[in-house]
Amino acid sequence: MVRKINITKKSIQPVHIIGGGLAGSEAAWQLAESNIPVVLHEMRPVRKTDAHQSDKLAELVCSNSFRSDDASFNAVGLLHEEMRRLGSLIIKTADNNKIPAGGALAVDRENFSNEVSEAIEKHPFISIKREEIISLKNNDWKHVILATGPLTSKSISNEIIQLSGQDNLAFFDAIAPILYAESIDYNKAWFQSRYDKVGPGGNGKDYINCPLSREQFENFVDDLLDADKTEFHEWEKTTPYFEGCLPIEVIASRGRESLRFGPMKPVGLTDPRTGQRAHAVVQLRQDNKLGTLYNMVGFQTKLKYSFQETIFRSIPGLSNAEFARFGGIHRNTFVNSPRILDSQLSLKQMPHVRFAGQITGVEGYVESAATGLLAGIFTAAHCLNRPLINPPFTTAHGALLSHITGGAKADMFQPMNINFGLFPPLSSETKKSKKVKSRKRERREAVSKRALIDLDAWLNTISLAA
């Protein structure tokens, strides 16, 4: 079942969307598919950012992975499937441009962005204005969606603070390096997905694995801890990292074995030369459809470029590595959504303005696009004078929405990925704190089945309301 509503009302004023990233593009698509005119404001290339490389819409500035595509046992995979049923442009385009990545949905980042841009540019109900919007106040717009992302400008940020009375929160988000496949030494590295798992577009041998012995690993950790890092401005020094995207040197500083339980974990991988599991493993994931570029999985970093080149070339298989892009770091901004947004993403002090994307405090490409999808649906309902009905709390969309708009404690609010901890428990579950692994898997499958059943029922409801 795919959501598709065709209603033409020439009197409807256009919805203005600020930001052409994943969330803004998805919101624009949802509105336009309901025949509601959209003006999408994107400041690039008029004004560039520190993270973007092009002026394309929905550019992926960090990883090229949308993470697990398993809709039965993984919360983000479930979110993928819900978005497919809701007619998501972002997930449809990701499916069209998928490349091998084990159980993950990874894409050729350039082709992905090109296809989203083309779809938005050609839609008859969408017009794009390349300009920077510096204020939410100085216009007569009736409906606005703010999807400026984690790099929201200072002027907009200051205005939000003035409107809400709450300071923005900020964290640093680090980017992993990308290197050329032809520069990898395949005499030392091998192809294998963890546990040989076959995923969308893959064959069970989708990652390049670089093994480290105990001695090599210890030396690697020493080098990480001793290397020069990017210096922060004074005002940035108290800004926390997002725990789900820590730089590798920060992980290493928390304990010498931390990396072996994180991005360098060797489980599920067997070195074909020895028939044994290595002490630690660095995984590389295909970054484009041609297979000429690979990114270092989980290796986001704030090391200075010269140290990245030296230290990463000490990894077996990467001694001659050539880097297409070094790792980097940038400041991300998000609002305290539980305090300043209502249950349908509207700014309480300015209800005609909705928020979408990472600025709401969701973390991850898919979660950002999902909030854009919801903002688009809610705004469409408002424009068409239909009831605004939230997705059930039992769905991935409903669980994520409920968390950021009230489920999370405002005093401790931090960015959050979708996870099964955000879903209400099954009615038959006990309150035992310890459950065996097989039961955990069964529960997740049951939660996912319930979510899709409830999503389909909600789809029927909002379609009838139209």
Side-chain angles (χ1 to χ4, degrees), residues 213-229:
S213 66
R214 180 183 295 274
E215 182 181 1
Q216 289 168 330
F217 174 77
E218 294 295 337
N219 291 336
F220 179 79
V221 172
D222 287 338
D223 291 341
L224 278 183
L225 297 177
D226 292 340
D228 285 349
K229 284 82 176 177

Side-chain angles (χ1 to χ4, degrees), residues 74-141:
N74 189 287
V76 74
L78 173 60
L79 190 56
H80 289 178
E81 179 57 26
E82 290 188 7
M83 293 177 73
R84 290 186 180 102
R85 298 187 186 199
L86 289 165
S88 166
L89 171 66
I90 295 302
I91 293 299
K92 177 184 177 181
T93 308
D95 288 336
N96 291 344
N97 293 280
K98 62 189 176 186
I99 56 178
L105 175 58
V107 303
D108 180 306
R109 69 175 72 229
E110 185 174 347
N111 289 348
F112 169 83
S113 182
N114 286 339
E115 186 172 325
V116 172
S117 298
E118 184 177 5
I120 295 292
E121 290 165 358
K122 289 185 175 180
H123 201 293
F125 280 84
I126 302 175
S127 61
I128 302 173
K129 287 192 175 182
R130 298 286 181 168
E131 60 182 2
E132 182 182 8
I133 303 299
I134 60 174
S135 175
L136 301 174
K137 295 179 179 178
N138 300 326
N139 56 64
D140 58 355
W141 298 342

Side-chain angles (χ1 to χ4, degrees), residues 3 21 53 68 179-180 236 281:
R3 174 181 168 272
Q53 303 295 316
S68 175
L179 48 85
Y180 294 100
E236 296 174 321
V281 171

Side-chain angles (χ1 to χ4, degrees), residues 213-389:
S213 66
R214 180 183 295 274
E215 182 181 1
Q216 289 168 330
F217 174 77
E218 294 295 337
N219 291 336
F220 179 79
V221 172
D222 287 338
D223 291 341
L224 278 183
L225 297 177
D226 292 340
D228 285 349
K229 284 82 176 177
T230 302
E231 293 294 329
F232 295 147
H233 298 290
E234 190 64 33
W235 57 269
E236 296 174 321
K237 290 182 178 179
T238 59
T239 304
Y241 291 109
F242 170 54
E243 286 293 319
C245 195
L246 291 172
I248 55 170
E249 58 274 11
V250 173
I251 299 175
S253 70
R254 295 182 173 185
R256 298 192 65 85
E257 290 291 289
S258 298
L259 287 170
R260 292 186 65 242
F261 291 90
M264 297 180 71
K265 62 184 177 184
V267 297
L269 300 167
T270 302
D271 188 336
R273 298 168 305 159
T274 65
Q276 303 293 321
R277 188 171 75 184
H279 184 72
V281 171
V282 174
Q283 284 201 306
L284 312 176
R285 181 179 57 235
Q286 188 173 330
D287 201 76
N288 65 344
K289 195 168 186 177
L290 294 174
T292 56
L293 298 174
Y294 275 76
N295 63 64
M296 302 179 70
V297 179
F299 263 55
Q300 49 273 1
T301 181
K302 62 187 180 76
L303 295 176
K304 290 185 176 180
Y305 287 175
S306 60
F307 285 88
Q308 289 186 46
E309 187 171 42
T310 300
I311 294 173
F312 295 155
R313 282 182 174 175
S314 72
I315 297 168
L318 303 185
S319 58
N320 296 311
E322 296 294 334
F323 295 88
R325 184 189 74 187
F326 285 108
I329 190 164
H330 56 271
R331 182 180 184 271
N332 281 356
T333 302
F334 64 97
V335 298
N336 195 323
S337 292
R339 280 206 178 109
I340 74 170
L341 301 185
D342 69 15
S343 64
Q344 290 162 343
L345 301 172
S346 288
L347 185 62
K348 293 176 182 177
Q349 289 77 14
M350 193 180 281
H352 74 286
V353 177
R354 280 192 169 82
F355 281 57
Q358 277 189 267
I359 195 171
T360 66
V362 297
E363 175 62 21
Y365 292 149
V366 185
E367 292 87 340
S368 296
T371 59
L373 186 153
L374 289 173
I377 289 177
F378 291 149
T379 306
H382 198 163
C383 290
L384 299 171
N385 294 315
R386 301 201 312 259
L388 275 67
I389 306 170

Side-chain angles (χ1 to χ4, degrees), residues 48-82:
K48 297 182 179 180
T49 76
D50 294 332
H52 291 86
Q53 303 295 316
S54 75
D55 61 357
K56 296 294 183 180
L57 302 177
E59 180 182 336
L60 304 181
V61 299
C62 296
S63 168
N64 69 322
S65 175
F66 286 73
R67 313 198 316 276
S68 175
D69 199 47
D70 186 340
S72 296
F73 304 106
N74 189 287
V76 74
L78 173 60
L79 190 56
H80 289 178
E81 179 57 26
E82 290 188 7

